[in-house]
Structure formats: C-alpha cells, structure tokens
Amino acid sequence: MSSTLKQIFLMIRVNLGSLPRRLAISLSMVLSVALVVAVLAGFLAMARGFEAALAGAGSPDVAVILGGGTNQETGSDVPAEAIRTLAAVSGDTGIAGDGAGGLMLSRETVVPVDIRASDGADQTLSLRGMDVAGPGLRERARLSEGRLFSPGAREIVVGARIAQTFSGFAVGETVRLGAVDWRVAGHFTSVGSAFESEIWADLEAVQSAFDRLGQVQSLRVRLDGGNDAASALATLRARLSGLSGPPLSAVSEADLYAAQAERIESLIRLFGWPIALLMAVGATAGALNTMMSSVSDRTVEIATLRLLGFGRLPAFAATWIEAVLLSVAGAAFGILASRLAFDGWQASTMGANNTKMAFQLDVTPDVILTAGLLGLAIGIIGGALPALAATRLPLRAALQARG
C-alpha cells in the first residue's frame, strides 16, 4: 500500500508539473467552474438575503389579524364593528394591555404610491397608515433621524432603504404622495428588515388622503403571553371565532413573513438551480475535454511509468485528482468572486401590492458550501472518464512515441 501511495504522489507531481504546457485549456476549466459557482452563489445569496429581510420583520410576540379569508394584508379587510367588539370584550383576549385600560393594537392599511427614482423610472412604494401604537409594535425599528409622525398630520416617517435610494426624502422636505403633499418627519432603521422599504404615516391621514375612510386591512396586536406567545395566540383565535360578522384570522407576524419569504425564495431557487445545473453540465463537458487533452498530452509519460512498474490505480488516481484540484481552484475563485460581487449588494423585488421591497444579497456559509460542492462535483464527474482512459493506454504507445 505504501508503494502504491508513493506511485500516486509521484504521478500527481508529474501531472501538475506538465500544467504549464496545458495552461490555456486548464485555465478554461478553472474559469468555467468558477462561473458556475458564482452564478449559483448569486441566486442562493439573493434567496438568503430576501429571507433575512422578511425574517427580521416578523416577531413571534406580535400577531396580525386579517379578514376576508386571506392570509396576507393584500385583499384583507377588517370591519370597524369587529374592531370595536374586540376592544370591548371582557376577560382574556390574548392581547396585551396598553397600560391605559385599552389593548395594545394598531389598525393599519397599506397604500401603493408611485415615486420617481433618480434614474427617472417610476417605482411603487408602500405607504402604511397606522395608529400611534404601530411603531412601538416593531421592536427592532429605531428612529435614526427626526421624530415620529404626529396623529392626524400629513407627516411621514421613511425607512432607511428608501431614504438612501430616493431623493427628496430628507427630514424636513415635502414630498407628494398621491394628490397631496406630505412632510418628512423622520427616518427609521429596522436591522435591514422589510420594514425599511416602507413609509409610515398616521392611519386617519392616509385614509383621508387616499379616499379610504374607515378601511382597515389588518390589526397588529401585542400578544399577552409572556414566554408563551403560542398560548396567547390560541386564546386570540378563540375570541375571534366567537365574533359575529365576516370571519377573522390571526397569524403570528413571524409566520406571516416566513410564508411570504418561502414563496419568493422558492421562486428564486426555481430559476437559479436549473440555470446553474445547465451551466454545470457544460462545465462538466469542458472538464472532460480538458482532462482528455491532459491524458493525450501525457501519453508518453503515463505509458513509460506503466512500463517502469506503475500500476493502473496510480494512473487513475493522479488524473482524477488533477481534475478535482482544478475544480477546487475554480470553486475557490468563484466563491471569492461571488463574495466580492454579491455580498451586501443592494437588490429589490416586488412585494405586497406590487410595491418595491429592497434587501441585501447575503453570501452565507451554507451558500458557499452548496455552490462549492457543485463546483467540486464538476471535477469529480468530469475527471472520472479521462482517469479511466489513462489506465487503459497501451504500453507499447511509449515505445512507438519514442520512435
């Protein structure tokens, strides 16, 4: 076994030593693997970034009450009578108190508004009308500049991503949303979550400005469960089922955003994986061609070593390991390129109400591992057949080549 290992290491040295003669075709293999790895990493980083943006928006201690038989705010309608009835219910409702004898809840509605970006293109953003308690229900949201909107006033608080992307949203400036002007009262951050792609304003001011008087799409409530939010959510659902009128449903805010993230993430993967796999097939064919050329170029060396007593296994292993090492180099280069090009890159997609939602691509360790394994697989598969061909070279080829 020791002799076989020595033969393998010696043949690997011979193979790698001949790389300068085959530099161009070897580099083409490395670059093709790198391209496959970078493309897959880009798609996976996009899915991870979108997932992180929505996951950061949801809290298990907050529930969202929806009406109209939908599981998202778009298309939901919560009747005013149901809100009054819920607020007047005695006993445990599963909703935390606000310290003033009421419930900690916020009536909310989302209106799409068109804004002209710096490149001249129109973008649709989300203007969310909410009660005064609304910002407090977003635990991770923090004012970064200015102040919150005043009740009843046409003032807005702008998410950090919008303030960075669009001009005209500096604190103190006036911006036209719909048919009326709004004054920018402040900016807020929310650890990069989807909330940073929203504009917040007073609910009644939004309803009045957009002719949606009385319309409430959702209720956000703080669950009164302490460490047992699931029990409080179950209590709330039981209370809602006992209300008259159209049925209302309650879902954990974390679950609501997780479901949205899963849909978009699945769509991104649906496009990303087939493209990456098709490219991987092409790269595998390239690896096969590269290693076949390598075997052809080293016919004399391989056959001579065989005549000197080297076995078939060292010839197979050395050729296969060369292919794997080239694919590892390509995978490493692709991962480095993806981190430099994609990690932290700002992207956007369409969220609820066909509005823009910004997020950052995130090249996480699992993205690196998945893309790197695909690159490694290209070398393993593409190098197997040429390695087998190296073991089947006729020994007299060396004598014929030597003339």
Side-chain angles (χ1 to χ4, degrees), residues 296-312:
S296 176
D297 182 71
R298 293 180 294 104
T299 298
V300 174
E301 289 101 326
I302 294 173
T304 301
L305 290 172
R306 291 290 314 284
L307 284 171
L308 292 175
F310 283 68
R312 292 179 182 271

Side-chain angles (χ1 to χ4, degrees), residues 1 33 39 41-42 58 68 73 80 115 119 121 133 142 151 164 184 193 205-206 225 242 296 298 306 343 361 369:
M1 185 63 181
V33 172
V39 168
E73 289 180 283
I115 296 294
D119 59 2
R142 298 287 185 273
Q164 294 166 4
V184 180
S193 73
V206 171
S296 176
R298 293 180 294 104
R306 291 290 314 284
D343 197 32
L361 273 66
L369 179 62

Side-chain angles (χ1 to χ4, degrees), residues 3-264:
S3 175
T4 301
L5 287 175
K6 288 180 180 178
Q7 291 179 8
I8 291 174
F9 288 132
L10 180 58
M11 292 196 72
I12 290 174
R13 288 180 60 186
V14 171
N15 289 5
L16 297 181
S18 65
L19 278 178
R21 299 203 310 262
R22 300 171 282 109
L23 186 60
I25 194 168
S26 297
L27 283 178
S28 69
M29 176 180 170
V30 171
L31 292 177
S32 63
V33 172
L35 182 60
V36 172
V37 169
V39 168
L40 179 60
F43 277 106
L44 295 180
M46 189 183 302
R48 280 286 177 266
F50 188 82
E51 180 185 28
L54 286 178
S59 169
D61 297 324
V62 174
V64 181
I65 299 175
L66 304 169
T70 182
N71 60 354
Q72 52 186 337
E73 289 180 283
T74 304
S76 171
D77 181 59
V78 182
E81 182 61 30
I83 299 173
R84 287 192 293 268
T85 302
L86 182 63
V89 169
S90 58
D92 185 14
T93 61
I95 304 175
D98 61 1
L103 298 178
M104 189 174 293
L105 58 81
S106 171
R107 301 168 301 158
E108 301 187 0
T109 192
V110 180
V111 178
V113 292
D114 291 329
I115 296 294
R116 179 150 296 181
S118 56
D119 59 2
D122 288 335
Q123 300 279 356
T124 303
L125 304 178
S126 293
L127 172 62
R128 181 180 292 274
M130 58 177 65
D131 286 326
V132 177
L137 292 172
R138 278 87 172 168
E139 295 177 346
R140 300 179 181 179
R142 298 287 185 273
L143 275 175
S144 58
E145 188 177 354
R147 58 175 176 80
L148 288 174
F149 54 82
S150 299
R154 286 179 176 169
E155 295 177 338
I156 57 175
V157 182
V158 181
R161 295 196 189 277
I162 295 178
Q164 294 166 4
T165 306
F166 296 88
S167 60
F169 282 98
V171 174
E173 289 191 321
T174 299
V175 60
R176 179 165 287 266
L177 302 178
V180 300
D181 292 332
W182 299 75
R183 185 175 181 275
V184 180
H187 296 164
F188 70 90
T189 61
S190 185
V191 294
S193 73
F195 291 142
E196 292 187 4
S197 296
E198 293 184 343
I199 302 171
W200 295 347
D202 177 71
L203 174 65
E204 293 181 359
V206 171
Q207 290 174 331
S208 173
F210 291 90
D211 196 23
R212 299 193 179 192
L213 294 177
Q215 184 190 61
V216 175
Q217 288 181 320
S218 65
L219 284 180
R220 256 181 176 75
V221 302
R222 172 81 62 196
L223 293 173
D224 188 23
N227 294 326
D228 190 8
S231 176
L233 182 60
T235 301
L236 174 59
R237 286 170 173 167
R239 287 290 189 177
L240 293 177
S241 64
L243 297 180
S244 59
L248 300 177
S249 61
V251 60
S252 164
E253 187 182 53
D255 292 341
L256 177 68
Y257 283 108
Q260 292 181 20
E262 184 178 359
R263 287 194 295 271
I264 301 297

Side-chain angles (χ1 to χ4, degrees), residues 211-400:
D211 196 23
R212 299 193 179 192
L213 294 177
Q215 184 190 61
V216 175
Q217 288 181 320
S218 65
L219 284 180
R220 256 181 176 75
V221 302
R222 172 81 62 196
L223 293 173
D224 188 23
N227 294 326
D228 190 8
S231 176
L233 182 60
T235 301
L236 174 59
R237 286 170 173 167
R239 287 290 189 177
L240 293 177
S241 64
L243 297 180
S244 59
L248 300 177
S249 61
V251 60
S252 164
E253 187 182 53
D255 292 341
L256 177 68
Y257 283 108
Q260 292 181 20
E262 184 178 359
R263 287 194 295 271
I264 301 297
E265 186 178 357
S266 298
L267 185 63
I268 293 172
R269 292 178 185 276
L270 182 64
F271 282 99
W273 269 109
I275 292 173
L277 290 177
L278 284 174
M279 294 179 64
V281 171
T284 302
L288 179 65
N289 182 57
T290 298
M291 297 314 300
M292 279 299 192
S293 297
S294 170
V295 173
S296 176
D297 182 71
R298 293 180 294 104
T299 298
V300 174
E301 289 101 326
I302 294 173
T304 301
L305 290 172
R306 291 290 314 284
L307 284 171
L308 292 175
F310 283 68
R312 292 179 182 271
L313 179 59
F316 177 89
T319 304
W320 201 24
I321 289 173
E322 179 187 349
V324 172
L325 289 177
L326 289 175
S327 67
V328 167
F333 184 66
I335 289 170
L336 177 62
S338 66
R339 283 194 64 88
L340 294 176
F342 300 135
D343 197 32
W345 188 65
Q346 297 284 344
S348 63
T349 187
M350 302 305 290
N353 296 312
N354 293 321
T355 57
K356 179 178 179 179
M357 197 197 85
F359 60 97
Q360 283 187 339
L361 273 66
D362 190 8
V363 183
T364 58
D366 66 307
V367 168
I368 292 173
L369 179 62
T370 303
L373 287 176
L374 179 61
L376 183 61
I378 292 172
I380 292 174
I381 297 171
L385 187 59
L388 185 61
T391 68
R392 300 173 67 87
L393 285 175
L395 298 183
R396 62 178 176 273
L399 298 176
Q400 294 172 350

